[in-house]
Amino acid sequence: MRKGLIQFSDVCLDYRLYRDRSVSIMETLMNVFGRGTSRDWFRALDHASFQISPGESVALVGSNGAGKSTTLKLLAGIYSPTSGKVRTSGRIASLLDLGVGFHPELTGAENVFLNGALLGFDQKRMVELIPGIAEFSMLERFMDTPVKYYSSGMFMRLGFALATSVNPDILLVDEVLAVGDAVFQAKCYDRIFGFRESGKTIVFVSHDPEAVRRLCTRAIWLDSGRVRMDGPVDDVLGTYLDANAGRLQNTAASATPREWGNREVFFSRVTLTDGNGVPARTFRQGDTLKVNTLIETREGREVKNIILGFSLHRPDGETVLASNNLENGESLLTISGKGEASISITPEIIEPGNFLLSISLTGNDTDYHWQDHFYPVSLLGTRQIPPLRMSSLTIAGGLIEWA
Amino acid sequence: MTGGLLLMKSLVEKDLKVRYKRSFLGFLWFLLKPLFSMVVYTIVFTKIIRFGGAIEHFSLFLLTGLLPWNFFAASLSASAKTLLDNQKLIRSIYFPRVALPISSVIANAVHMLMAMVVLEGLLIAFGHIPGISIITLPIAIVLLAAMTSGFAMMISVGNVYYRDVSQFLEVILLAWFYASPVIYPLGAGLIPARMEAVIKFNPVAGAMEIFHSTMYYGTWPELWAWISLVAWTAVILVAGLLIFKRMEPSVVKEL
């Protein structure tokens, strides 16, 4: 088999679903003796077949739960198929989740050695690779620092540099790519495009149609675990986006920033910070995303019952999370002149990637001020199904006297 | 070095490094723990229950059994968590996952070996000069580690499905400890003969017997001890490997 070839023949993969997940022996016994079973099967991939030749860059597109991530995990060898055959040849680098093998107490260099061993490289080989990894991740001065002192950006940089340093034949890329600051993101894309130029096979999963078009020549559309369409990227993406246009009211075109409303009440300043008030755009599992706003009313009037809301969207515009103070059972805002209000979101990050944050001020049947898709944020974490839930939310408002 | 060995070595190194990163006494804890329990048992069995008095240097006898037992018990407890602790890793890259339970056993074995060097020094100091039979001890250590690995594989998988396994294990280990010739000798008339016959079927009884006879008594271990150790090791290791291999694909999805 030629290096870089992927064959996926008639692959099925079943997950066990738990209606009530039995976690103790007692519960299982009760289920066994009780009526019926609480178990069900979920077919994540349903007789999927395709072949990818060495040097091809292929995107997997489809809605959530269509089987894209499952396919990547099968290719990475993490899952074995329930039936059918998955064959790959050559070394695989998976950028499914960066830096997961890192132990917080170990230093950057120690983690690189450990991860190298997980990938099958001996110490000697890793010693050769370390300078390149340190340089690419811009962490030369921090290689002997335990990674628990790294910022999330540093962590991801090291993870990316390590995963791509091994000269793979096949590169599996999940949305995680969208990590770190803009400069590093550009570096990551450069390296990935470099792989493409040097004839490596790339399999890419993304919700961002633009990124898919840039990187891939071919796309495979997965729908409920089946291959619905397979062909040139523009054809597949076009058909896929059309088919979903009804469902996704906000398609790529309308996911661009937009500001509107009658501005009787308006945001005069907005900053995004972490829970400690430090400005941030990248958030990890457990972090709090805090939107601090300064709100003003036109001509200093007093406006009562203001609803402050937010929503979080994928790059293609699909809403993943939305709420406001009314829905969250918090008191409505009254602003007279100027007031500060904040939204603290602690998202349970089940789908890492880039998102667009929208915020809004509305009243009873009035749109005061909307900032749609205004603030890009990156969420880092482990991909899970189903995506994004809220684990806590507070919207608090205060009043500042009009001077 | 082949991939598997390299991976194992790295995981063991990580285990050792991480465990004592913030600990002042470091690996000494592995020696201090049995020393503390030795003191407790010595007081209980020579001053309170007065049964250890029959054995010379009862404390050293205890330590000879407590080191391998603590290795065994600590390895099994650690193995219950090994897959769960590494679930993110398991779900993100492929590697031979069986390396996880095995490496946690090996890391504990390293501790045991270091503690045994100290113990051997103590034994010699108190006149328990080892005989030629000591050369068989490394074989017994390897077999015990292999058997422990077999148990570790089963427990690591079991605990993914039912968290009760780790709780149950604590209880079982307590009973198992008293059912093993760790703190008492076999064949010295301290235990009823019928009991002894049952205890000899205990998978770790053979290993304990070999540790006691080679290190403490300086005699050749009895044949039954070797038969028991070899047979149990073969059965447990093969069963552990089979169960692990068989369950691995579904465990990964279950995590």
Side-chain angles (χ1 to χ4, degrees):
Chain A
M1 244 171 115
R2 277 199 298 153
K3 287 255 168 88
L5 184 71
I6 294 172
Q7 282 176 331
F8 220 72
S9 13
D10 207 26
V11 173
C12 292
L13 188 109
D14 294 337
Y15 286 102
R16 232 161 50 158
L17 279 187
Y18 293 88
R19 242 171 265 143
D20 320 283
R21 195 186 154 111
S22 324
V23 285
S24 73
I25 291 173
M26 199 55 203
E27 284 169 42
T28 309
L29 289 179
M30 282 161 70
N31 284 333
V32 168
F33 297 120
R35 57 211 143 74
T37 165
S38 66
R39 265 178 214 149
D40 237 327
W41 295 93
F42 169 68
R43 181 147 280 196
L45 279 179
D46 192 2
H47 300 280
S49 300
F50 57 84
Q51 176 164 334
I52 298 174
S53 316
E56 270 193 297
S57 329
V58 179
L60 300 176
V61 298
S63 50
N64 275 307
K68 303 182 302 283
S69 293
T70 306
T71 305
L72 285 190
K73 288 196 169 178
L74 281 160
L75 292 174
I78 296 162
Y79 291 163
S80 356
T82 308
S83 71
K85 223 174 187 141
V86 177
R87 293 179 69 197
T88 57
S89 77
R91 183 177 301 285
I92 297 174
S94 52
L95 302 181
L96 303 191
D97 218 337
L98 296 175
V100 279
F102 292 170
H103 196 289
E105 296 284 349
L106 299 181
T107 68
E110 285 171 336
N111 270 307
V112 168
F113 284 125
L114 177 62
N115 268 264
L118 287 167
L119 300 168
F121 286 108
D122 62 20
Q123 197 118 353
K124 210 176 107 231
R125 184 71 203 283
M126 291 316 289
V127 169
E128 292 163 14
L129 291 176
I130 276 197
I133 293 173
E135 196 210 321
F136 187 84
S137 56
M138 303 177 281
L139 291 171
E140 283 107 329
R141 286 165 48 225
F142 301 100
M143 290 309 277
D144 295 319
T145 307
V147 299
K148 67 176 172 187
Y149 299 119
Y150 281 22
S151 69
S152 55
M154 291 160 80
F155 199 84
M156 305 306 276
R157 262 147 52 194
L158 185 63
F160 182 89
L162 172 67
T164 52
S165 67
V166 298
N167 192 28
D169 300 298
I170 299 173
L171 194 65
L172 307 176
V173 189
D174 206 337
E175 215 129 28
V176 281
L177 235 211
V179 297
D181 53 273
V183 178
F184 190 71
Q185 264 193 37
K187 250 177 122 174
C188 292
Y189 271 106
D190 277 353
R191 182 167 267 199
I192 289 176
F193 278 91
F195 280 125
R196 194 182 68 173
E197 302 318 314
S198 57
K200 313 290 188 193
T201 307
I202 297 175
V203 183
F204 183 48
V205 167
S206 175
H207 279 284
D208 179 357
E210 274 321 299
V212 166
R213 273 205 191 90
R214 275 208 309 273
L215 182 65
C216 303
T217 49
R218 174 183 157 195
I220 296 171
W221 173 9
L222 291 172
D223 188 15
S224 313
R226 286 174 215 196
V227 177
R228 175 121 167 227
M229 194 177 168
D230 182 350
V233 68
D234 286 323
D235 297 359
V236 175
L237 218 49
T239 319
Y240 166 66
L241 291 174
D242 283 350
N244 284 287
R247 195 172 57 82
L248 312 172
Q249 299 222 322
N250 307 313
T251 45
S254 66
T256 45
R258 200 163 78 95
E259 214 171 352
W260 56 286
N262 66 15
R263 317 261 172 132
E264 274 175 38
V265 185
F266 59 96
F267 295 113
S268 64
R269 194 186 65 223
V270 177
T271 49
L272 263 56
T273 63
D274 63 16
N276 303 321
V278 182
R281 283 291 163 101
T282 302
F283 303 90
R284 298 175 74 169
Q285 181 69 45
D287 285 355
T288 299
L289 188 171
K290 196 167 177 205
V291 189
N292 307 283
T293 64
L294 181 63
I295 301 168
E296 291 187 42
T297 54
R298 189 186 291 162
E299 291 155 9
R301 278 194 297 252
E302 183 183 78
V303 180
K304 287 184 175 163
N305 298 334
I306 304 170
I307 301 167
L308 171 60
F310 80 96
S311 52
L312 212 51
H313 310 267
R314 288 211 188 84
D316 60 14
E318 196 177 335
T319 307
V320 286
L321 205 62
S323 191
N324 58 45
N325 47 356
L326 181 65
E327 215 178 278
N328 206 39
E330 277 158 298
S331 56
L332 302 183
L333 304 180
T334 300
I335 305 279
S336 149
K338 260 187 198 178
E340 278 178 337
S342 68
I343 307 173
S344 302
I345 312 160
T346 310
E348 202 153 314
I349 300 167
I350 296 169
E351 190 186 290
N354 277 344
F355 293 87
L356 294 165
L357 178 77
S358 309
I359 52 176
S360 64
L361 289 167
T362 52
N364 189 22
D365 291 328
T366 346
D367 292 309
Y368 296 126
H369 192 185
W370 285 78
Q371 292 187 328
D372 282 337
H373 311 116
F374 231 67
Y375 305 97
V377 293
S378 300
L379 303 181
L380 312 176
T382 316
R383 166 177 288 270
Q384 275 173 36
I385 302 168
L388 236 51
R389 278 175 295 154
M390 193 134 56
S391 75
S392 96
L393 167 73
T394 42
I395 299 174
L399 179 65
I400 295 178
E401 286 302 317
W402 181 244
Chain B
M1 210 179 343
T2 61
L5 280 179
L6 166 77
L7 173 57
M8 217 86 88
K9 178 176 155 274
S10 305
L11 287 172
V12 169
E13 274 174 12
K14 171 196 133 185
D15 198 301
L16 298 178
K17 260 186 217 154
V18 167
R19 188 170 330 182
Y20 297 124
K21 208 74 182 197
R22 283 277 170 107
S23 157
F24 178 64
L25 292 173
F27 119 89
L28 278 178
W29 278 114
F30 206 82
L31 191 62
L32 286 173
K33 270 192 260 171
L35 274 175
F36 287 140
S37 27
M38 178 203 82
V39 170
V40 173
Y41 290 126
T42 306
I43 293 169
V44 170
F45 291 116
T46 61
K47 304 279 184 259
I48 303 171
I49 307 183
R50 291 176 190 274
F51 113 111
I55 301 164
E56 193 197 2
H57 300 137
F58 183 60
S59 319
L60 291 178
F61 175 86
L62 279 176
L63 215 45
T64 316
L66 283 172
L67 286 186
W69 172 265
N70 280 10
F71 153 72
F72 179 72
S75 299
L76 296 200
S77 303
S79 72
K81 287 178 294 168
T82 177
L83 292 182
L84 293 173
D85 285 350
N86 290 291
Q87 49 178 302
K88 279 181 123 188
L89 185 60
I90 293 172
R91 280 200 311 231
S92 314
I93 42 175
Y94 174 77
F95 61 97
R97 286 100 177 191
V98 75
L100 290 171
I102 297 179
S103 65
S104 84
V105 170
I106 295 176
N108 277 303
V110 171
H111 287 124
M112 174 177 69
L113 289 175
M114 292 194 286
M116 278 176 64
V117 173
V118 179
L119 170 64
E120 191 51 57
L122 280 173
L123 283 166
I124 292 170
F126 283 92
H128 293 266
I129 313 293
I132 186 101
S133 64
I134 195 88
I135 57 165
T136 59
L137 189 60
I139 303 168
I141 294 172
V142 170
L143 288 171
L144 176 64
M147 175 164 64
T148 311
S149 300
F151 278 122
M153 290 170 210
M154 299 181 210
I155 291 164
S156 63
V157 166
N159 203 46
V160 170
Y161 285 91
Y162 302 107
R163 304 294 190 271
D164 318 54
V165 168
S166 61
Q167 306 291 332
F168 193 51
L169 182 69
E170 300 301 314
V171 182
I172 289 290
L173 281 174
L174 184 65
W176 203 340
F177 173 72
Y178 287 102
S180 311
V182 179
I183 53 169
Y184 52 82
L186 289 178
L190 288 168
I191 313 278
R194 202 182 296 162
M195 260 312 228
E196 277 200 7
V198 176
I199 286 171
K200 283 180 184 174
F201 280 99
N202 176 344
V204 292
M208 296 302 151
E209 188 64 16
I210 294 168
F211 272 79
H212 277 144
S213 47
T214 55
M215 290 184 80
Y216 178 83
Y217 294 110
T219 55
W220 290 96
E222 286 185 52
L223 186 62
W224 73 262
W226 281 110
I227 294 172
S228 157
L229 181 57
V230 171
W232 275 113
T233 300
V235 170
I236 302 296
L237 183 62
V238 169
L241 282 168
L242 287 178
I243 290 174
F244 199 92
K245 270 279 151 247
R246 172 98 170 70
M247 301 305 287
E248 193 176 348
S250 35
V251 162
V252 175
K253 287 189 278 182
E254 202 78 17
L255 275 171

